[in-house]
């Protein structure tokens, strides 16, 4: 199960000097299906034709920008605990998850998401990823770019959660890797 943000991706990491506010990106056939279960709204986002001008993309600048933003906003966290509670309730009641639940939360800044999941799902093993070097300052968080594949993670998790898809330089790649 992949739970994703339906926010538009950030395009401020390009270095060709153009104003990109969606002009140099194509997001076509953007489809989302929404399933409502009690308070839970889960958006399954299908990005079918996402292309970027990768020749102009600077990965080191992307990492620097994300890290700077993380450090600037480290005291703030944009987590809706009610949404995570609804997801945990849905997993327990509708999906009937039992035993150890393995989960990963991508882009967690201070790790609040995985803390909430761990509190709500007894016997869970949930950790987070964060691209910034601040990641290791927070319990159950590792420094990792969620665009990169980690073979030992494939097929390992019961759920993947993120509300940071809008920070992705290539949302389709991120979803494919997840």
């Amino acid at each position: 199960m992949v739970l994703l943000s339906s926010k538009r991706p950030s395009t401020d990491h390009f270095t060709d000097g153009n104003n990109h506010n969606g002009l140099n990106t194509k997001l076509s056939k953007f489809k989302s299906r929404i399933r409502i279960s009690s308070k839970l709204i889960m958006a399954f986002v299908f990005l079918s034709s996402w292309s970027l001008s990768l020749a102009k993309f600077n990965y080191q600048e992307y990492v620097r920008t994300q890290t700077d933003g993380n450090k600037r906003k480290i005291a703030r966290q944009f987590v809706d605990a009610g949404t995570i509670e609804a997801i945990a309730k849905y997993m327990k009641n509708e999906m009937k998850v039992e035993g150890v639940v393995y989960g990963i939360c991508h882009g967690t800044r201070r790790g609040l998401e995985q803390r909430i999941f761990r509190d709500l799902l007894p016997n869970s093993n949930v950790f987070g990823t964060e691209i910034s070097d601040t990641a290791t300052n927070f319990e159950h968080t590792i420094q990792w770019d969620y665009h990169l594949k980690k073979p030992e993670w494939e097929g390992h998790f019961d759920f993947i959660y993120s509300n940071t898809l809008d920070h992705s330089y290539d949302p389709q790649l991120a979803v494919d890797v997840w």
Side-chain angles (χ1 to χ4, degrees), residues 104-122:
I104 186 168
C105 301
H106 286 305
T108 63
R109 191 172 296 150
R110 293 182 308 155
L112 184 56
E113 293 94 329
Q114 61 263 32
R115 276 187 276 154
I116 296 170
F117 275 117
R118 283 172 165 269
D119 289 344
L120 296 172
L121 298 169

Side-chain angles (χ1 to χ4, degrees), residues 7-21:
K7 296 177 185 176
R8 288 185 58 147
S10 173
T11 57
D12 59 349
H13 309 293
F14 295 85
T15 58
D16 62 359
N18 292 326
N19 177 359
H20 287 281
N21 290 327

Side-chain angles (χ1 to χ4, degrees), residues 88-99 101:
K89 181 178 177 182
Y90 178 83
M91 288 181 6
K92 283 193 253 182
N93 298 337
E94 302 298 323
M95 296 175 60
K96 309 289 187 209
V97 293
E98 296 177 4
V101 176

